[in-house]
Amino acid sequence: MPAKKRQSVPRPKELSHKELDYTVNYQAGSARSSDDFEPCAEIIGQQRAMEAIRLGLNVDSKGYNIFVTGLPGTGRTTTISHLLKQLEHAAPDLKDICYVNNFKNVDQPRVLIFESGEGKRFKKDMEYLITSIRKVVPKIFLSEDYKDRHSRLVREFENRQKKLIHVYEEKLTKAGFVMVQIQAGTGVRNEIQPLIDEEPTSIDRLERLEKEGKFALAQLDELRRRWDSLRREFDVTTIESKKLTTKLEDAIEKLNFSMVAPLVTDKVNLLKKRYEGEQVLSYLEQVEEALLSDLDRYREAQPRRGEEEPPPFRKREPFEEFSVNLILNNAENDSVPIVIEKSPSYKNLFGSLERVVDRFGYWRTDFTRIISGSLLKATGGFLVMNALDVFTEPGVWVSLKRSLRNGELEIGSYDAFSMMAGSGINPEPIPLKVKVLLIGDARMYNLIWRHDEDFKKVFKIKAEFDSVMEYNRKNTKEYYQFIRRLVDDDNLPPVDISAMQTLVEYGRRLSGHRKKLSLRFTALADMTREAAFCARQRRSKRVTRKDVNCAVINRRNRINLIEDKIQEMFDNDVLMISTSGSRVGQINGLSVYDIGEYQFGRPTRITVNTSLGKAGVINIERDADLSGPLHNKGVAILAGYLRDMFAQDKPLVMSTSISFEQSYSGVDGDSASSTEIYGILSSLTGLPIKQGIAVTGSVNQKGEIQPIGGVNEKIEGFYDVCKSRRLTGRQGVIIPHQNVQDVLLRPDVIEAVKTGKFHIYPVKTISEGVEILTGTPGGRRLRGNKFTEGSVLWKANEKLFEMATAYDQFGRDNAAGKKARSKNNNNKDERSKGKKERKAGRSRR
């Protein structure tokens, strides 16, 4: 294939130590330590989230509850508490809430709502009402007036009853009969008997005498007739006597009512005048009716002289039904309730119904055993909870969204074991007015938003907490002020300006961007405390840059055991890697190990073999089920790049296999796709790759290098491997040019770059990267599908042209060989057929 004239290709640049340096020099005037700054009083860097929270807190409509998302340590809980205390609220609308007995249906206790402080007063007033009535009413029954009235009623009815009985007794005497009492089992019964010879004789005995002939039959029949008549009159008399007894009881009850009712009514009316509201007045009417409906309770309530304490399962106190269960008391509160529920179990959040065992062994409860939860305590204010706790606690989320949707709270017990026997009650729902703030992460929010339609209705405000802010002087000063507040709160030694600058550098590295500062203040605070510990260890009165660096190193040493173990495997050649020399079809890729709280990078050997064929790019990891979807996509993209670059004027007849050597746990991500292309180009052209250079970066189908994640960990990981084997000055890393703004390396790596012992090359295209790796110009594609002569791309194109030609020639030769073999086979078949025909002819003869 004719070659084009060779053209010069500009060499990619190398990052200098000045470009890598991210030292903070901002001093804020003449400040020398944290003592020269005012402690911060505002939330730092979360203006977007604060505006969203302010909106949710101030919109007084249903559903404007708030779901706060963000990374842990970005100050979500602190910000919420700060805003709740600082926002200007109207006068708090606080209520007292009581549960009382429902005299019409004891299984459905009633709820009474009072203004703040009135619930406590109502409870005391009801206690005083019952106490005073219990004291006064028994005295009425013991008064002389009552005794006289009672005695007159009793005597009047006794006289009427005696008269009724006397009339009947006269009839008995006149008829010759008497009333006798006969033993009947354990009791006695009245029986009418005739007098025979002045002796009472039963009809049964007379019948026996008549059979013996000792008593006349006619006389017996006459006695029977009179006995039947007297018996009927006796039944009538008995009924009339019972009626008189009932009338006596009614008269006594009316007497009792007339004596007690004025007292009870007067006392209840005093409460009616003191409290307003339809529900309270209705309840007091029921109280008055119940107090007057059973006057015997006042006698039961009187303790007998010498009576002992009641046993545990005795009948409950006769006036307990008039007690008031004050489940929400805001008498002592004068501010908006702010409840932070750290353990939102069903019982803690919604309250419960306490149960006790009665004398029959059954679980029972009543309105006096209703207990409130934090949701009710936050009524008129705000309730803050962790979203994960809410979603994982049994029964909590379903009940919470129902309460917020309906605007009312139903108190009940969450029974995980519903087979437990017991009597339940259904208290009247309580009107609910509360703002709920859930703290979670974006993944949890998106998951619930997609799968729960009610979630969108009850949590209309999403407040997103950012993890980074711009790096500038204003925000740097706020960092300093935050450190000052931490020093004051935790009683730490002063932090000098160099240490604060180092902490800002630490915040920049945490952010992962040279122009950003991390908002993960929990991590920053922990590092400040640990630096203060290092200062105390060396008996220093101030925290300096040295102490912060000491804390950073100590933290890394605490959690990098796995990193050290893997480094030992590189040192002992258990994990095979080359950091010097050159090899064809072999290149060092870079990967990141994520163990949760710590990430680190290490190199991985990638090998490529190519041959004539039509299999294309063979992903050995995928064939072994060790390749993730993103890695599979990366391999498919690099295959598209090869077709676009080299298969416009010829078929791509190449089989190339790619393997991540000593990889047994799977590979994912596309950050090695450019590395794999470099290996393919080396294998095709026979140009060796420098083993002292590792590569990271994804690629698109046009050969443009794309940014990746974990760039700092990858650079430092390869640096550590090279350092353990001796730095030669020819080692380094190729990274995507877009990741230059993310490079925030350890001081020792920057120092190695400064002294020329380590290099970092940002590249934009495959051509730039392959030139660094092979020392041969990468080249570019010219018109007519030609390439820069002598370049890597030119050599690869020539090789692919040769392979296509060879494959085509092989195909023609193979077809000709098949045709010749087919012709020879036909000749053999004809000769064999002739021999068979001649042999058959001889047999016939």
Side-chain angles (χ1 to χ4, degrees):
M1 192 174 179
K4 285 287 182 180
K5 182 179 179 180
R6 185 167 181 171
Q7 298 182 9
S8 62
V9 179
R11 295 181 61 84
K13 66 170 290 188
E14 174 185 348
L15 293 180
S16 66
H17 73 280
K18 292 182 179 180
E19 293 174 292
L20 297 174
D21 182 43
Y22 60 99
T23 303
V24 176
N25 296 315
Y26 177 63
Q27 192 166 337
S30 60
R32 292 293 179 266
S33 72
S34 56
D35 291 340
D36 298 324
F37 293 91
E38 293 293 329
C40 68
E42 300 295 329
I43 301 301
I44 301 174
Q46 301 293 356
Q47 286 73 21
R48 181 197 303 268
M50 291 173 67
E51 289 301 319
I53 294 174
R54 285 194 180 99
L55 174 64
L57 295 181
N58 287 287
V59 174
D60 191 17
S61 298
K62 184 181 292 188
Y64 277 83
N65 300 292
I66 305 167
F67 194 103
V68 180
T69 66
L71 294 177
T74 53
R76 296 169 298 176
T77 304
T78 303
T79 302
I80 290 171
S81 302
H82 180 80
L83 286 178
L84 291 178
K85 293 178 181 178
Q86 283 198 348
L87 285 178
E88 295 182 359
H89 298 290
D93 183 19
L94 301 178
K95 304 292 184 182
D96 287 351
I97 298 178
C98 305
Y99 266 111
V100 294
N101 183 38
N102 186 343
F103 295 95
K104 295 182 178 180
N105 187 347
V106 294
D107 290 335
Q108 295 182 350
R110 300 179 57 175
V111 62
L112 300 180
I113 301 176
F114 300 89
E115 294 299 323
S116 175
E118 290 191 2
K120 182 178 180 180
R121 189 179 69 173
F122 181 76
K123 179 180 175 71
K124 289 184 177 180
D125 287 346
M126 283 297 299
E127 291 174 351
Y128 177 77
L129 170 68
I130 300 303
T131 302
S132 62
I133 289 176
R134 292 182 64 178
K135 288 181 178 179
V136 174
V137 171
K139 293 180 180 180
I140 292 177
F141 293 142
L142 297 175
S143 65
E144 294 300 327
D145 183 32
Y146 176 80
K147 289 179 180 179
D148 291 342
R149 294 187 183 188
H150 185 274
S151 297
R152 285 199 298 270
L153 282 175
V154 172
R155 285 196 301 271
E156 177 185 351
F157 280 92
E158 284 180 348
N159 292 333
R160 292 172 62 182
Q161 199 169 35
K162 287 179 180 179
K163 182 178 180 181
L164 181 66
I165 295 173
H166 179 70
V167 171
Y168 180 72
E169 287 178 345
E170 288 181 349
K171 289 182 179 180
L172 282 177
T173 302
K174 186 177 180 180
F177 283 79
V178 294
M179 183 73 68
V180 297
Q181 291 184 336
I182 299 176
Q183 189 74 27
T186 58
V188 294
R189 63 182 177 85
N190 294 324
E191 183 174 328
I192 302 172
Q193 294 183 357
L195 287 173
I196 304 297
D197 297 333
E198 302 299 325
E199 289 290 333
T201 306
S202 67
I203 297 297
D204 293 338
R205 183 181 178 188
L206 293 176
E207 288 176 348
R208 288 195 300 270
L209 291 174
E210 188 274 330
K211 289 180 181 180
E212 295 175 358
K214 297 180 179 181
F215 196 80
L217 177 61
Q219 187 179 0
L220 177 61
D221 291 339
E222 178 63 20
L223 289 175
R224 283 175 178 168
R225 184 186 63 78
R226 283 186 284 171
W227 184 86
D228 289 339
S229 176
L230 291 172
R231 183 67 189 178
R232 287 192 296 270
E233 288 189 25
F234 175 73
D235 291 341
V236 172
T237 302
T238 301
I239 293 173
E240 291 297 327
S241 177
K242 290 182 177 179
K243 287 181 179 180
L244 287 174
T245 302
T246 302
K247 289 180 179 179
L248 173 61
E249 292 175 352
D250 292 341
I252 292 175
E253 186 175 345
K254 290 180 180 179
L255 172 63
N256 293 342
F257 185 85
S258 64
M259 297 290 288
V260 174
L263 171 69
V264 173
T265 301
D266 289 344
K267 290 184 176 294
V268 172
N269 285 339
L270 289 176
L271 292 184
K272 289 181 180 180
K273 295 177 181 178
R274 187 174 299 176
Y275 297 97
E276 299 178 352
E278 182 180 348
Q279 292 293 326
V280 179
L281 295 179
S282 172
Y283 170 70
L284 290 175
E285 289 176 359
Q286 290 186 10
V287 168
E288 180 181 358
E289 181 180 348
L291 286 171
L292 296 175
S293 64
D294 182 13
L295 299 180
D296 290 336
R297 76 171 81 230
Y298 300 103
R299 294 189 176 91
E300 294 177 5
Q302 292 300 305
R304 298 176 182 175
R305 182 174 300 177
E307 185 178 22
E308 298 180 356
E309 291 293 323
F313 298 127
R314 191 172 180 177
K315 183 180 179 182
R316 72 177 186 176
E317 206 275 336
F319 288 89
E320 186 177 2
E321 61 189 293
F322 300 101
S323 60
V324 176
N325 183 5
L326 180 60
I327 62 172
L328 181 62
N329 180 15
N330 280 313
E332 306 298 328
N333 297 336
D334 56 2
S335 60
V336 175
I338 300 174
V339 179
I340 299 179
E341 180 55 72
K342 297 181 180 179
S343 180
S345 63
Y346 190 94
K347 179 180 179 180
N348 292 346
L349 188 59
F350 299 102
S352 64
L353 304 177
E354 185 183 23
R355 294 182 176 182
V356 294
V357 181
D358 65 11
R359 57 180 174 173
F360 301 108
Y362 290 100
W363 289 94
R364 296 190 180 278
T365 186
D366 57 34
F367 73 97
T368 64
R369 302 187 183 277
I370 301 175
I371 301 174
S372 63
S374 54
L375 188 60
L376 184 62
K377 294 174 183 177
T379 297
F382 308 95
L383 176 62
V384 183
M385 297 180 289
N386 182 279
L388 182 61
D389 293 338
V390 170
F391 294 136
T392 54
E393 284 287 346
V396 168
W397 168 240
V398 174
S399 299
L400 177 62
K401 69 178 182 181
R402 181 170 57 240
S403 299
L404 296 178
R405 184 181 64 238
N406 299 334
E408 59 184 26
L409 171 63
E410 298 179 3
I411 298 181
S413 296
Y414 178 76
D415 292 328
F417 304 99
S418 58
M419 71 287 297
M420 293 179 62
S423 63
I425 59 176
N426 184 23
E428 181 182 355
I430 302 173
L432 188 64
K433 184 180 180 182
V434 63
K435 290 281 186 181
V436 176
L437 295 90
L438 293 184
I439 302 175
D441 55 35
R443 182 180 63 175
M444 187 184 304
Y445 176 87
N446 294 331
L447 180 66
I448 302 299
W449 194 90
R450 290 191 183 98
H451 293 89
D452 194 330
E453 289 298 324
D454 291 331
F455 178 76
K456 307 171 187 177
K457 300 175 182 177
V458 296
F459 283 91
K460 296 182 178 181
I461 298 296
K462 177 185 179 183
E464 296 182 282
F465 272 63
D466 204 345
S467 60
V468 294
M469 64 179 177
E470 293 295 325
Y471 168 59
N472 53 41
R473 289 192 171 187
K474 174 180 176 296
N475 290 338
T476 301
K477 185 176 180 180
E478 290 183 344
Y479 248 55
Y480 294 164
Q481 292 173 336
F482 171 80
I483 295 170
R484 168 60 191 274
R485 190 180 75 180
L486 181 67
V487 168
D488 292 346
D489 292 344
D490 287 22
N491 194 25
L492 303 178
V495 181
D496 76 5
I497 193 67
S498 66
M500 290 196 294
Q501 290 170 344
T502 309
L503 287 169
V504 174
E505 294 165 8
Y506 178 74
R508 294 178 69 184
R509 180 175 169 93
L510 279 180
S511 72
H513 197 285
R514 301 179 69 84
K515 297 182 180 180
K516 300 290 183 181
L517 278 174
S518 175
L519 289 173
R520 294 169 56 192
F521 287 107
T522 300
L524 181 68
D526 290 342
M527 190 57 63
T528 306
R529 296 184 185 103
E530 292 167 20
F533 172 77
C534 292
R536 291 191 182 104
Q537 287 291 99
R538 62 184 187 88
R539 302 183 184 280
S540 174
K541 295 183 179 180
R542 288 196 172 194
V543 180
T544 65
R545 179 184 293 270
K546 180 180 180 180
D547 298 315
V548 177
N549 290 333
C550 170
V552 172
I553 294 172
N554 288 345
R555 182 183 184 278
R556 182 185 177 193
N557 291 337
R558 287 197 304 270
I559 58 180
N560 74 334
L561 177 63
I562 295 178
E563 181 182 23
D564 288 344
K565 295 297 182 183
I566 292 177
Q567 182 60 48
E568 287 180 10
M569 298 173 75
F570 281 110
D571 295 340
N572 297 328
D573 288 330
V574 175
L575 292 177
M576 300 169 61
I577 204 76
S578 299
T579 58
S580 60
S582 300
R583 292 288 299 273
V584 174
Q586 179 175 298
I587 189 169
N588 292 327
L590 293 171
S591 58
V592 174
Y593 294 79
D594 189 347
I595 57 174
E597 62 175 332
Y598 184 62
Q599 294 179 334
F600 62 93
R602 281 299 181 268
T604 300
R605 175 177 287 179
I606 300 175
T607 58
V608 180
N609 288 333
T610 58
S611 65
L612 194 65
K614 278 196 167 184
V617 179
I618 301 171
N619 181 3
I620 292 179
E621 311 303 317
R622 181 180 61 189
D623 294 344
D625 290 332
L626 293 175
S627 178
L630 295 180
H631 182 250
N632 291 337
K633 178 183 178 182
V635 173
I637 288 174
L638 71 87
Y641 165 76
L642 294 175
R643 289 191 296 270
D644 177 70
M645 185 63 68
F646 301 113
Q648 300 302 309
D649 57 356
K650 58 185 174 300
L652 199 62
V653 285
M654 171 192 70
S655 294
T656 180
S657 59
I658 304 173
S659 175
F660 283 69
E661 304 297 348
Q662 296 183 288
S663 173
Y664 308 109
S665 60
V667 176
D668 202 5
D670 64 347
S671 63
S673 54
S674 65
T675 312
E676 293 163 335
I677 289 179
Y678 297 141
I680 293 173
L681 293 176
S682 171
S683 181
L684 278 173
T685 61
L687 295 173
I689 291 176
K690 299 174 183 178
Q691 299 299 293
I693 299 177
V695 181
T696 184
S698 68
V699 69
N700 61 27
Q701 293 190 103
K702 300 301 181 182
E704 298 170 328
I705 304 299
Q706 300 175 142
I708 45 82
V711 64
N712 295 308
E713 289 80 4
K714 292 176 178 179
I715 295 173
E716 293 169 354
F718 188 65
Y719 170 80
D720 290 338
V721 172
C722 293
K723 182 180 179 181
S724 69
R725 299 186 175 191
R726 189 177 66 85
L727 294 172
T728 63
R730 293 186 294 274
Q731 294 149 333
V733 175
I734 294 177
I735 65 171
H737 73 98
Q738 301 98 323
N739 284 116
V740 171
Q741 60 188 355
D742 305 324
V743 177
L744 296 147
L745 301 172
R746 300 195 313 253
D748 57 327
V749 181
I750 297 176
E751 182 62 26
V753 172
K754 181 178 180 180
T755 57
K757 294 181 178 180
F758 198 74
H759 309 274
I760 300 174
Y761 305 98
V763 297
K764 295 181 179 180
T765 63
I766 290 293
S767 180
E768 293 179 6
V770 78
E771 179 178 345
I772 298 170
L773 290 166
T774 62
T776 302
R780 60 189 180 92
R781 185 165 60 183
L782 307 174
R783 291 182 180 180
N785 294 315
K786 305 299 188 294
F787 295 87
T788 306
E789 184 178 353
S791 66
V792 176
L793 296 180
W794 181 81
K795 292 177 182 291
N797 189 60
E798 290 294 311
K799 180 63 176 178
L800 289 170
F801 185 83
E802 293 176 7
M803 294 173 74
T805 302
Y807 188 85
D808 182 62
Q809 184 62 44
F810 175 79
R812 287 197 296 269
D813 293 345
N814 189 40
K818 285 183 179 180
K819 185 175 181 180
R821 287 192 296 273
S822 176
K823 183 176 181 181
N824 291 336
N825 290 336
N826 290 337
N827 292 336
K828 288 180 181 180
D829 291 341
E830 290 177 0
R831 288 195 297 272
S832 176
K833 183 178 180 182
K835 288 181 179 180
K836 290 179 179 180
E837 289 176 350
R838 288 194 294 274
K839 184 176 180 180
R842 287 196 296 271
S843 298
R844 285 195 296 272
R845 290 195 294 272

